[in-house]
Every structure is written in C-alpha cells, then in structure tokens.
Amino acid sequence: MRILVDLFTCFFKMGLFTFGGGYAMLPLLQKEIVEDRAWASEEELLDYYAIGQTTPGIIAVNTATFIGEKQAGIKGAIVAVLGLIAPSILVISLLSGALEKYHESAVVAGALAGIRIAVSALIFMTVIKMAKSAIKDRGGLFIFGLALLLILGFSSPIVLTVFVGAGLGLLLSRRQHGNS
Amino acid sequence: MEILKMVYAFMFTGLFAIGGGLATIPFLQDMAKKYGWFTIKELLDMIAISESTPGPIGINMATFVGIRVGGYLGGIIATLALAFPSVVVILLLIPVLDKYKESPLTQGIFYGLRPTSAALIAAALIGFIKMVLFNSGLVALSEINLVNLILLLAFIGLIKLKDPHPILVIALGAVIGMIFKLA
C-alpha cells in the first residue's frame, strides 16, 4: 500500500512540474527515480525512453507504466499513470474558463520563458550524465554520433533512427562477441 | 454518443501516435476535420496552452479537447482513453523483455538503443536551446538573445555546483522570468 501511495505522489509531482513534452520530465525522473528512490538505474531509464519513443502513446505515460509495473505490478503501473495525469486534469479543468486569458497574460509568458531556460539547463546536465552511462566504448560513441547526425542532418523520423540504432547495436556487439 | 466517439478517437490516437505528445497533433487535426469538435485555429491555441500548463503536452491536449466536447467528465474520459493503449502495450511488453533480457540478441539491441536514446534526447535539447537563445528562431549571431544566454549559463553553473532539486530550478526560472519579463 505504501509503495502505491509513494508511486502516486511521485508521479503527481512529475506531472505538476513538467512543462512541455516527455523530455522536459527527464531531469525530474533522473532525480526522483534514479537518485532518490533507486527505482531504476540510469541505463534502465534510457531503455524506457528508447522503448517509450518507439511504442504507441505518450512517452511520459509509457515511462510511468514501466516504473510502476517494476515496483508494484499492474496495480503499480495504473497508479503511476493516474498520478501522472491527475495534475493535467485538475489544472486544465480549473483553468478551462480562463485559459485564453491566462495564456495571454504577460506574467505567465514571462514565467514560461524563464521555465524554458531552467528546463534547458536541467536537460543539458541530464544529457551529460546519461551520455556517460549510455556510451561505454567506441561502438557506442559511433552509434550516438550517427543517430545525432541522422536526426539533425537528415531529419530522420524517430522510429527509423531507433531501428538503425538497434540494428547497429546488434551488428557491433555480434562482432565483439566473435572476436573474443 | 459524442462521448463514445471521443473515447474511440482518443484510443485510436493513443494506439497510433508514436513518439510522444507532439505526434498526436496530426490525429487531433483529423478530429477537427472529421468530427468538427474544434477548428484548426482553436487547435493551435490548445497546443500553445497545453505547452504552457503543467503536465505532459499530449495529456494536456486530451484533457482540453475532452472538456470542449463533453465537459469535465469528457476531460477525464478523453485523457484516460489516450493513456490506456500505452499502458496495455507496455504491460504486454514487460514480460517479453524480462524473459529475453539475458539473451545476446536483446543485449545487442540495447547496446545500440542506449546511445540512440541519448542522441534523441540530445537532439531535443538542441531544439530547446535554439528556441531559448535565438529571438526569431533564426540561428544567426545577430539574433542571439544575450540575457537568455547569460541566464542559461548561470543555471548550468548553479546545477553543476549546487545540484539543487529540479523543482527548485524550475521555480527559480519562473520567478526570474516574471521579474525580468523575459520573452
């Protein structure tokens, strides 16, 4: 029971402090899930993101399902997802009458511009931490560089990029296996 | 009846939108055309507002559209309908992944997936930084927003030195943004 309450409050917090897409949630996940609660390792979080981006649905929901299931089975998954979506439902329901006005206010616009800078800095530090645990050798560095080139240089779709990465991983790890 | 159509439309979106919240936009455009629940212009406003309210953007859009179509209950139903397929797909995937976790095939795939996942996140970061640093979205030295650049570097320094909780960093960003009326 305690784990369920903990899952709900933890993901409620994530939902409440995520502004933007699933990527904006990453620094919070890293702090709360990896560092504070040890519910997942850095590598596992990367795996969840890779899978979350290639499977149907919202990345944040996919990640919450993964982490919830690992901690408390199907119940845990459902509770984590409900915690994640509850703030959205609450805030938008409360604001729904005033959303247009809220959106156009200069104070809100200023706050959001500040949040964007803060979130960029947070993700910057998260990317550095994650790259360290994702790239273990030259093969990994090669895959990282190629994937980045595909996305930025050739606007490759996410699903295609992930398939190329997985295929190369298979190929390169096979070769290492054969050599040893 | 309208609610049933909405459940179907959002479950469909949850099942076929791959790659996160922004991937739902084409599906929402289709909804506008097919059901006439909102216009394309209203959709643009909803996307902008969903980006600026707490919560993952895809979830916010579902709540928003749901309220438009069926009131508060509609908001809850649309959001649950959107999330449902994700939960089912991942729950089906977990036992398969666990079973083949140690096989060289899975190990090889994840050996490639981790750097790829890091690259996808890095690419998203570059997109964010472009938006923060360049006034018109045009990447040119003359368009650089110096105030934002200094703030970004200051935030990175703060996180590196003090490692505060991300929520504190986000709150600090909001306060600074309001005081300095950032754009």
Side-chain angles (χ1 to χ4, degrees):
Chain A
M1 191 58 207
R2 248 189 85 190
I3 183 75
L4 292 183
V5 175
D6 203 13
L7 274 168
F8 187 88
T9 37
C10 179
F11 278 95
F12 190 92
K13 232 198 277 181
M14 308 261 172
L16 196 57
F17 288 97
T18 297
F19 288 85
Y23 292 112
M25 200 171 86
L26 199 55
L28 274 167
L29 277 170
Q30 212 217 7
K31 171 82 185 149
E32 297 263 330
I33 305 289
V34 179
E35 286 173 20
D36 290 356
R37 291 186 175 78
W39 281 348
S41 69
E42 204 95 56
E43 282 89 358
E44 281 168 325
L45 194 56
L46 275 167
D47 295 349
Y48 298 161
Y49 258 70
I51 296 167
Q53 287 176 81
T54 21
T55 46
I58 313 290
I59 300 172
V61 175
N62 295 347
T63 312
T65 309
F66 257 118
I67 294 164
E69 204 277 342
K70 292 282 167 198
Q71 290 313 309
I74 294 178
K75 251 192 256 169
I78 293 171
V79 166
V81 171
L82 289 179
L84 176 74
I85 66 180
S88 294
I89 295 178
L90 283 176
V91 171
I92 297 199
S93 298
L94 285 174
L95 287 176
S96 70
L99 269 175
E100 267 79 19
K101 248 187 252 159
Y102 159 87
H103 176 60
E104 273 153 24
S105 104
V107 179
V108 174
L112 288 169
I115 288 174
R116 274 200 290 273
I117 300 173
V119 168
S120 299
L122 285 168
I123 299 181
F124 180 79
M125 297 309 288
T126 307
V127 166
I128 291 177
K129 277 188 218 164
M130 297 219 125
K132 272 186 201 152
S133 55
I135 304 167
K136 291 255 156 75
D137 50 23
R138 264 199 259 157
L141 186 64
F142 172 71
I143 296 174
F144 176 82
L146 186 77
L148 205 57
L149 180 75
L150 279 177
I151 309 160
L152 295 177
F154 299 94
S155 319
S156 153
I158 289 174
V159 179
L160 179 70
T161 315
V162 169
F163 274 102
V164 171
L168 274 176
L170 214 52
L171 227 72
L172 290 177
S173 63
R174 272 275 157 86
R175 225 189 48 184
Q176 282 171 352
H177 242 63
N179 288 346
S180 61
Chain B
M1 262 341 269
E2 230 35 33
I3 295 264
L4 276 183
K5 275 188 210 157
M6 204 175 65
V7 170
Y8 168 76
F10 276 97
M11 273 204 192
F12 185 82
T13 307
L15 193 56
F16 290 100
I18 295 178
L22 294 176
T24 61
I25 291 173
F27 291 87
L28 292 168
Q29 282 172 338
D30 272 355
M31 275 184 221
K33 279 184 216 142
K34 209 163 150 192
Y35 302 105
W37 290 328
F38 41 84
T39 65
I40 295 289
K41 196 196 161 291
E42 283 173 317
L43 177 63
L44 286 176
D45 286 343
M46 288 196 275
I47 294 168
I49 293 168
S50 297
E51 275 180 321
S52 54
T53 41
I57 174 169
I59 298 295
N60 289 347
M61 287 196 284
T63 310
F64 209 153
V65 173
I67 290 176
R68 274 279 159 93
V69 180
Y72 294 126
L73 188 66
I76 295 171
I77 291 172
T79 313
L80 290 177
L82 179 74
F84 183 72
S86 292
V87 176
V88 173
V89 169
I90 300 290
L91 286 179
L92 289 175
L93 204 62
I94 288 175
V96 181
L97 282 177
D98 283 348
K99 193 171 166 200
Y100 297 104
K101 208 154 110 193
E102 304 301 327
S103 88
L105 191 74
T106 321
Q107 294 279 330
I109 289 174
F110 278 111
Y111 171 78
L113 274 188
R114 281 173 199 153
T116 310
S117 186
L120 287 169
I121 298 164
L125 168 70
I126 292 172
F128 284 138
I129 289 186
K130 262 191 215 164
M131 197 165 73
V132 163
L133 290 190
F134 298 99
N135 292 321
S136 55
L138 215 74
V139 182
L141 215 53
S142 58
E143 290 295 317
I144 204 158
N145 186 327
L146 269 179
V147 178
N148 286 8
L149 175 64
I150 291 165
L151 282 171
L152 179 69
L153 293 176
F155 269 115
I156 291 175
L158 172 77
I159 300 166
K160 213 173 154 93
L161 291 176
K162 296 268 173 201
D163 197 24
H165 196 287
I167 291 177
L168 274 179
V169 181
I170 292 167
L172 184 64
V175 172
I176 291 177
M178 280 191 273
I179 294 173
F180 292 100
K181 297 200 175 65
L182 294 178

